[in-house]
Amino acid sequence: MVMEYRVMGRVNLPNGEKIPAVIVFGDSIVDPGNNNYINGTLVKCNFPPYGRDFIGGTPTGRFSNGFIPSDIVAQELGVKHIVPAYLDPTVKPQELLTGVSFASGGSGYDPDTSKAAAVLSLANQLDLFREYLQRITAIVGEQGKDEILTKSLFIVCTGSDDIANNYMTMPFKKIVSDTDSFTDSVIRLASAFFMELYKVGARRIGVLGVPTIGCLPSQRTLQGGLERKCSDEGNEAARLFNSKVSSTIDYLNTHLPGAKFVYMDTYNPLLALIQYPAQYGFEKSTEGCCGTGKIEVSILCNRLVPNTCEDASKYVFWDSYHPSQKAYQIISHFILQQSINKFF
């Protein structure tokens, strides 16, 4: 049975509510270019062909051919057209009031994940967020800052790299812990991060689950054998992590007064696009648009790579790790429609 994930249109908020800002933490799925300003990391994409379908065809550091989920969510909520990178020095003070992203490509709940990629950990992102709070307080005062905190939508999108680029690629991790133990340790770190967000005043917090990691083109290439099948190990780890993070969110909502944590499923929507691409207007779902689509990502996806497709909207994936703008639009619209009323 094909599940219905359709696009587009503005999401209606209940009772005429308005969300003043979209504030984002996480990894490359929601990094609009913070990694551009981090010396020492190779996890960057501020060069063509990235961004070729973005405003002006500009490579901004978004790991996509165009908009990323944080942009799309802000658009659908009527907040703003793009959610900029906090580290971007051109971001104007007034723009801070409607939200920014602290996300860093290659980051994870596990600080080892971020350290291996030389990018911002969640602890680093929280430090920047505290600085951000001081900056907006200077603009709108303490009361204005508190209103932004309590009414804004906070998005946390990470965990994929903990599994794909940490547990599954670092042999010693599997020696010291099985999948169940590893996901338990990551969930403890995730729970601590959610608590920190709550302590500083965040109340509406959407937590994106981990997608079908085993079916990403790169994982098919690395783990799927000659036939490039989906990696059962990767998908099993993703499902296990998602079930645990969902249970954690239920617990936090019960024990933290005023908390509105909402689990947002990305696993099943992306899986539907991969399994039934033609139903959603796609032609390719096992390889990305960039180059061969089997391994190219970040610095391996560049203007010199041959055979990059002409129309990314025909592909579920832009590179070997990240969905295309069109796929992001379908998934983001669906998860918003399914979850928005839970924040009120």
Side-chain angles (χ1 to χ4, degrees), residues 110-149:
D110 186 343
D112 286 347
T113 304
S114 309
K115 191 180 298 181
V119 297
L120 298 176
S121 66
L122 285 182
N124 298 143
Q125 294 179 38
L126 266 178
D127 287 341
L128 291 173
F129 175 62
R130 293 188 180 97
E131 177 186 284
Y132 162 83
L133 292 179
Q134 293 176 351
R135 293 177 67 183
I136 64 171
T137 301
I139 300 170
V140 296
E142 198 72 30
Q143 185 175 340
K145 179 261 293 182
D146 290 342
E147 184 170 344
I148 289 173
L149 272 175

Side-chain angles (χ1 to χ4, degrees), residues 272-289:
L273 303 191
I274 293 168
Q275 291 180 328
Y276 310 104
Q279 297 291 331
Y280 306 97
F282 296 106
E283 296 178 4
K284 300 275 189 177
S285 67
T286 63
E287 56 198 45
C289 166

Side-chain angles (χ1 to χ4, degrees), residues 3 141 185 210 213 250 271 341:
M3 301 179 73
S185 68
V210 169
I213 291 172
D250 290 341
L271 183 61
N341 288 335

Side-chain angles (χ1 to χ4, degrees), residues 11-324:
V11 171
N12 294 318
L13 302 183
N15 305 317
E17 290 270 2
K18 288 188 176 181
I19 290 175
V22 174
I23 299 169
V24 187
F25 300 86
D27 57 23
S28 59
I29 294 173
V30 287
D31 178 3
N34 282 308
N35 279 15
N36 299 351
Y37 308 99
I38 301 174
N39 294 325
T41 184
L42 296 177
V43 187
K44 295 184 179 183
C45 60
N46 53 340
F47 43 79
Y50 284 97
R52 72 178 195 187
D53 299 311
F54 193 69
I55 303 164
T58 307
T60 60
R62 286 168 170 81
F63 290 81
S64 177
N65 59 301
F67 295 115
I68 54 176
S70 44
D71 300 319
I72 297 160
V73 167
Q75 291 166 15
E76 295 223 351
L77 293 176
V79 176
K80 61 200 306 181
H81 199 52
I82 62 169
V83 179
Y86 179 69
L87 292 182
D88 183 349
T90 67
V91 174
K92 296 177 174 59
Q94 282 298 124
E95 203 172 348
L96 298 176
L97 303 180
T98 51
V100 290
S101 175
F102 302 93
S104 180
S107 187
Y109 289 111
D110 186 343
D112 286 347
T113 304
S114 309
K115 191 180 298 181
V119 297
L120 298 176
S121 66
L122 285 182
N124 298 143
Q125 294 179 38
L126 266 178
D127 287 341
L128 291 173
F129 175 62
R130 293 188 180 97
E131 177 186 284
Y132 162 83
L133 292 179
Q134 293 176 351
R135 293 177 67 183
I136 64 171
T137 301
I139 300 170
V140 296
E142 198 72 30
Q143 185 175 340
K145 179 261 293 182
D146 290 342
E147 184 170 344
I148 289 173
L149 272 175
T150 56
K151 293 187 176 182
S152 293
L153 176 60
F154 287 76
I155 294 175
V156 181
C157 176
T158 192
S160 298
D161 292 321
D162 290 317
I163 297 172
N165 298 329
N166 184 336
Y167 183 70
M168 292 183 66
T169 59
M170 297 183 185
F172 72 91
K173 289 279 186 177
K174 293 185 179 181
I175 293 172
V176 299
S177 63
D178 57 18
T179 306
D180 191 43
S181 300
F182 177 74
T183 51
D184 275 346
S185 68
V186 176
I187 287 296
R188 285 192 292 271
L189 293 163
S191 182
F193 177 72
F194 301 153
M195 288 287 293
E196 285 299 312
L197 281 183
Y198 178 83
K199 285 178 184 176
V200 295
R203 290 298 179 266
R204 295 170 174 163
I205 303 170
V207 180
L208 274 67
V210 169
T212 46
I213 291 172
C215 294
L216 302 182
S218 61
Q219 296 306 302
R220 287 177 181 269
T221 302
L222 296 172
Q223 310 282 343
L226 292 177
E227 296 181 7
R228 295 185 67 249
K229 293 181 178 179
C230 292
S231 163
D232 290 337
E233 182 184 20
N235 285 345
E236 183 181 331
R239 289 193 298 269
L240 186 59
F241 175 83
N242 288 339
S243 67
K244 291 178 180 181
V245 80
S246 180
S247 297
T248 299
I249 285 170
D250 290 341
Y251 176 85
L252 293 175
N253 281 331
T254 303
H255 290 80
L256 298 177
K260 295 285 186 181
F261 286 90
V262 177
Y263 172 73
M264 295 173 151
D265 174 32
T266 63
Y267 186 99
N268 289 299
L270 180 57
L271 183 61
L273 303 191
I274 293 168
Q275 291 180 328
Y276 310 104
Q279 297 291 331
Y280 306 97
F282 296 106
E283 296 178 4
K284 300 275 189 177
S285 67
T286 63
E287 56 198 45
C289 166
C290 188
T292 66
K294 296 176 181 178
I295 201 67
E296 294 88 347
V297 63
S298 189
I299 59 172
L300 297 179
C301 172
N302 58 68
R303 71 168 80 220
L304 299 178
V305 172
N307 303 319
T308 295
C309 77
E310 293 185 6
D311 185 359
S313 70
K314 295 179 180 178
Y315 285 68
V316 172
F317 292 95
W318 160 248
D319 60 23
S320 71
Y321 200 84
H322 304 94
S324 64

